[in-house]
Amino acid sequence: MSDLMTYTPGTSLIHRLPAAAKILGLAAVSIATVVTSNLWMTAAALVLAATVTVMAKVPRRLLAKQWKAYLLIVGLLGGYQWLTNGPRTAFHVAGGLAALLLLAGVISSTTRTTELVDLIVRCATPLKRIVDPERLGITLALGIRSVAVVYDLARDVRAAQLARGLGFSLRAFAVPLVVRSLRQADGLAEALIARGFDD
């Protein structure tokens, strides 16, 4: 699996924080940046995200890989907002998104997937008459893993295009990526059915 979403062992304060505290912190920053349109709040979120990243001692190699994946969407969204709504809105939207992505990357780097799954299962336990907490936890784990799997598939497709000397074409890139993703999903579905998760 890609190390885009891989836990990196460490002893920093951020590593030692409970998963619940990290998720609540991310939720608070999300609300603060999305609900308000204050540019100072957006700037504060960026400073906070950068500070937390330094405190967590996230490896530069991992940061580079994460931002290689994130930069396109942040840049496109910021550019679109700049053209349609001006620089203030562009900074608010793209800056807020960048801060949230940075914080989410820190959480994935400093928190084991099992901790996140256990947190969701505990939170869902009071609702067990409505939803199965264990199945919800498995769904979350699969969702987290799927992000990295699709990233790996996209990287493989692009590497194959470059090896054949092909330039970038959205159609030529998207079609094999979708086909490979569907095959991956079919294989996963068969494995789940074999283990009794088909109901």
Side-chain angles (χ1 to χ4, degrees):
M1 187 176 74
S2 167
D3 58 3
L4 187 68
M5 302 287 287
T6 297
Y7 167 76
T8 303
T11 59
S12 71
L13 173 63
I14 308 302
H15 280 83
R16 297 195 300 270
L17 283 175
K22 299 176 191 179
I23 296 300
L24 287 174
L26 178 62
V29 176
S30 300
I31 293 172
T33 55
V34 172
V35 174
T36 68
S37 57
N38 190 314
L39 297 186
W40 287 108
M41 187 68 73
T42 303
L46 284 169
V47 171
L48 174 64
T51 302
V52 169
T53 302
V54 173
M55 291 176 61
K57 300 178 182 178
V58 178
R60 293 181 181 179
R61 176 181 56 82
L62 179 56
L63 277 176
K65 285 202 172 186
Q66 288 176 341
W67 277 98
K68 186 177 180 181
Y70 300 153
L71 195 56
L72 178 61
I73 186 170
V74 172
L76 289 175
L77 184 59
Y80 174 77
Q81 291 294 333
W82 186 295
L83 293 174
T84 57
N85 297 303
R88 290 177 59 86
T89 302
F91 175 73
H92 170 64
V93 174
L97 178 60
L100 295 179
L101 287 173
L102 196 55
L103 289 172
V106 169
I107 291 176
S108 68
S109 302
T110 61
T111 313
R112 290 182 174 88
T113 301
T114 52
E115 293 182 59
L116 295 174
V117 171
D118 289 344
L119 173 62
I120 296 299
V121 171
R122 289 198 304 271
C123 291
T125 298
L127 304 174
K128 59 184 178 182
R129 292 186 178 182
I130 303 174
V131 62
D132 185 343
E134 296 297 333
R135 288 177 182 264
L136 184 61
I138 291 173
T139 301
L140 174 65
L142 291 175
I144 293 173
R145 176 175 172 77
S146 295
V147 174
V149 169
V150 172
Y151 175 79
D152 279 342
L153 292 175
R155 187 172 56 184
D156 291 344
V157 169
R158 184 57 186 150
Q161 289 181 326
L162 292 174
R164 290 194 293 268
L166 301 176
F168 181 78
S169 167
L170 183 59
R171 179 180 297 179
F173 175 77
V175 171
L177 176 59
V178 170
V179 171
R180 292 191 184 190
S181 298
L182 291 175
R183 288 178 180 171
Q184 181 75 24
D186 286 341
L188 178 59
E190 291 176 2
L192 290 174
I193 291 172
R195 289 163 175 78
F197 288 96
D198 56 329
D199 56 343

